[in-house]
Amino acid sequence: MTRAVHLSGVSKRFGATVALTGVDLTIADGEFIALIGPSGCGKTTLLRLLAGLETPSGGTVAIGDTSAREARVRQEIGIAFQRPALVPSRTALENVRLTLEICTRPEVLSPERLLRAFGLGDFMHYYPHQLSGGMQQRVNIACAMVHHPALLLLDEPFGALDELTREALWDWLAEVLAADRQTAVLVTHNVEEAVTLSDRVVVLSPRPGRIDRILSIDLPRPRADRIGAAFLAEVRRVREALYAVAKASTAPAVPAKPPAPAP
Amino acid sequence: MISLRSLLAYAVMLVSIPALWLLLVRFSHLPAVVLPPPDKVGAALWRDAPLLWDNTRVTVFEALLGYAWANALALALALMYLYFPISEAFLTPWMVVIKNVPFVTVASILLITLGDTLTPKIIVVVLVSFFPILANLVKGLGAADPVLLDRLKVLNASRWQLFAKVRWPAALPYYLAAHEIAFTGSIIGAIVAEWFFSRQGLGYLIVNATVEYRTDRLYAVTLIASLLAIAAYLLCKATEFWLFRWKTRPPA
């Protein structure tokens, strides 16, 4: 399997604050990676480095055979945020077309066909305010995928949706990405979401942000049965890793009690 | 959006004005030279139509020219603030001073300096209408959705593409809101400028009619000036309704 993304010794500082340090990670072509960790562990910073929206303070970020910045210039990245990035005065179809108005890549998908494949065939001429939250998010993801990017970045795309819509969209996205062997990186706070969608879960620890451990999710796809023993065992494994990281990060730097004086 | 209720409210107002006017004339017992009846004002409108038309054209021309300058300057400055933020810090004190010098005194200074020419009138119109446009443009251009900007930056959108596809659509509601105040204000500004230094225009006719105790003409000019300002306001509302028709359009 070819290498889609490679991060080597990546660090990022904002003034005196170290947001990320010593991040080494390789993502294979067609692989789905979830970034999970407590607040302030640098998940979004890592995603912005992959998007070429930030430059690393140290180390290298490579997308395919080029830097993240160059990959951005070549329009090889698509991104979907938690809040749908849609223009209110454009219909769903016009919003997807907006990506192609910017993009000059030759191999792009048909916006109409993509929206139909996303179950929005009857809603492509609706304006964002006429769509439900789940539909808006599907349009948002269509906007990020229509130019056929080498790397799809998802920043908590389902975080603002209700439980049932969210679960339906997990299964929908897993199916969409599997059909296309799309390389993707997802930032999430939701353990079930990470287990449903990803091949590997990268657990980050905070202050400074770094990779604590990487867990492979060896469950057969599709993973729609989220109350089965195997799924719950994986959820438990990821949650335990997350708790361990959270516990370590909240442990006081100095002992709570002063050491007893020597007799 | 103009609702049926607001249309009805306008209709009631249009009927009420002449009715109240007639009642006031009938029961106040004021002489016609102080409060002319509507028919006398109507006669003045008919009799002085060529004079009123010529002077209205002058006022409208000055208002539109001044307004165009105000828009061009406000847009240029708002763009400079957006792309060179340091300029805002340096120019804001100047703006505060210019905005707060009473424009009546500025007008007098302009009269002495430039005399009865077009330039001082245009400057007065610009002073009246420039600031609301600048304030709303700055706010509107800054109100662009940062998430949408990031989405397009990831696609390596150019500065122009970010402006045309995200910043300008975001600024449009603010820009149109400014027009509602500033476009009407430009007509009032032109009349005030003529009132100060002019031998033509509606402002000049006001001074002339006041001096000559021609209240019928004074009321006729008031009527025309009001209609111009209302027309400017309604034009802004119609443009807003047309540009944002997508908000009320039913699902396709």
Side-chain angles (χ1 to χ4, degrees):
Chain A
M1 199 172 268
T2 53
R3 192 181 78 178
V5 177
H6 183 67
L7 295 105
S8 174
V10 170
S11 64
K12 179 66 187 174
R13 284 174 172 276
F14 295 102
T17 309
V18 181
L20 283 171
T21 187
V23 175
D24 294 303
L25 179 67
T26 301
I27 302 171
D29 201 18
E31 194 177 15
F32 193 113
I33 292 287
L35 303 177
I36 199 163
S39 292
C41 67
K43 299 185 293 287
T44 297
T45 303
L46 188 52
L47 202 79
R48 291 180 70 84
L49 284 166
L50 288 169
L53 290 171
E54 304 280 356
T55 42
S57 308
T60 55
V61 180
I63 312 287
D65 57 355
T66 182
S67 69
R69 189 167 282 268
E70 184 57 31
R72 182 167 70 82
V73 172
R74 289 190 199 171
Q75 300 167 328
E76 287 180 350
I77 301 167
I79 195 162
F81 296 95
Q82 179 176 10
R83 191 160 52 78
L86 305 176
V87 181
S89 57
R90 284 173 173 250
T91 62
L93 182 61
E94 287 165 348
N95 264 292
V96 179
R97 281 183 181 153
L98 174 61
T99 299
L100 301 184
E101 288 168 25
I102 308 287
C103 259
T104 50
R105 279 164 71 85
E107 291 168 23
V108 297
L109 307 173
S110 152
E112 290 91 344
R113 208 179 296 169
L114 191 63
L115 283 174
R116 258 183 234 116
F118 282 17
L120 293 164
D122 293 335
F123 301 96
M124 58 174 84
H125 300 296
Y126 279 45
Y127 289 93
H129 70 273
Q130 295 169 334
L131 298 170
S132 69
M135 286 175 172
Q136 284 183 24
Q137 199 49 264
R138 273 187 278 170
V139 176
N140 194 33
I141 294 171
C143 293
M145 289 180 70
V146 70
H147 60 303
H148 208 255
L151 177 64
L152 177 65
L153 302 173
L154 304 159
D155 191 358
E156 298 184 53
F158 312 122
L161 302 176
D162 66 87
E163 186 81 13
L164 288 175
T165 309
R166 197 161 56 212
E167 289 191 8
L169 287 181
W170 293 345
D171 296 332
W172 164 80
L173 184 66
E175 198 180 320
V176 164
L177 298 185
D180 205 37
R181 293 294 303 151
Q182 173 73 61
T183 310
V185 178
L186 166 78
V187 164
T188 182
H189 282 111
N190 190 305
V191 174
E192 283 83 1
E193 183 172 298
V195 172
T196 302
L197 291 167
S198 53
D199 299 308
R200 286 188 295 159
V201 176
V202 176
V203 183
L204 293 152
S205 62
R207 287 181 289 279
R210 59 193 148 73
I211 294 177
D212 184 83
R213 65 194 78 179
I214 299 174
L215 306 169
S216 287
I217 307 297
D218 299 318
L219 280 177
R221 291 179 186 272
R223 297 168 182 167
D225 178 14
R226 279 180 282 275
I227 49 172
F231 186 89
L232 291 174
E234 288 295 327
V235 168
R236 186 187 172 93
R237 195 161 66 95
V238 176
R239 191 156 280 157
E240 278 172 354
L242 198 58
Y243 287 162
V245 163
K247 198 175 172 186
S249 67
T250 52
V254 289
K257 273 188 193 172
Chain B
M1 190 199 157
I2 302 164
S3 66
L4 196 66
R5 192 179 292 181
S6 61
L7 278 176
L8 189 68
Y10 274 103
V12 168
M13 185 202 68
L14 284 174
V15 175
S16 300
I17 288 173
L20 287 171
W21 190 350
L22 281 170
L23 284 172
L24 205 62
V25 168
R26 188 173 172 83
F27 293 107
S28 69
H29 303 296
L30 287 167
V33 73
V34 177
L35 181 65
D39 61 306
K40 209 174 170 204
V41 175
L45 274 169
W46 178 257
R47 191 183 55 244
D48 298 339
L51 176 80
L52 292 168
W53 170 242
D54 285 346
N55 286 283
T56 302
R57 276 194 319 182
V58 170
T59 303
V60 169
F61 172 73
E62 289 163 1
L64 289 178
L65 188 61
Y67 194 57
W69 269 106
N71 273 277
L73 289 171
L75 187 62
L77 219 56
L79 290 175
M80 195 160 81
Y81 285 2
L82 179 69
Y83 294 115
F84 306 100
I86 196 167
S87 64
E88 187 172 4
F90 277 94
L91 288 174
T92 298
W94 289 87
M95 293 299 126
V96 170
V97 168
I98 294 169
K99 186 177 180 295
N100 289 298
V101 173
F103 85 92
V104 180
T105 57
V106 176
S108 304
I109 293 166
L110 289 171
L111 173 63
I112 294 165
T113 316
L114 299 164
D116 179 16
T117 57
L118 185 62
T119 314
K121 291 165 210 157
I122 300 305
I123 292 173
V124 170
V125 174
V126 169
L127 283 174
V128 171
S129 50
F130 166 78
F131 291 102
I133 303 173
L134 176 68
N136 277 32
L137 267 177
V138 169
K139 198 171 179 185
L141 290 172
D145 185 355
V147 172
L148 189 54
L149 286 171
D150 270 352
R151 177 194 146 196
L152 298 197
K153 279 178 192 167
V154 168
L155 296 169
N156 199 38
S158 66
R159 195 176 271 201
W160 165 247
Q161 285 171 322
L162 291 176
F163 176 79
K165 296 186 188 294
V166 184
R167 289 200 186 276
W168 184 246
L172 212 49
Y174 294 87
Y175 188 44
L176 286 173
H179 284 306
E180 283 177 27
I181 306 162
F183 198 14
T184 314
S186 70
I187 291 162
I188 296 163
I191 292 171
V192 171
E194 290 162 353
W195 193 75
F196 266 98
F197 32 66
S198 190
R199 293 193 184 281
Q200 52 182 353
L202 292 177
Y204 165 71
L205 282 189
I206 290 169
V207 176
N208 198 256
T210 310
V211 172
E212 291 179 6
Y213 277 88
R214 290 289 307 275
T215 44
D216 55 343
R217 188 182 285 172
L218 189 61
Y219 273 66
V221 172
T222 307
L223 209 62
I224 292 169
S226 305
L227 286 174
L228 279 178
I230 291 166
Y233 174 78
L234 290 178
L235 186 65
C236 291
K237 291 307 271 185
T239 309
E240 187 182 344
F241 180 69
W242 183 75
L243 282 173
F244 299 122
R245 61 196 182 284
W246 55 270
K247 282 188 182 177
T248 49
R249 191 178 286 168

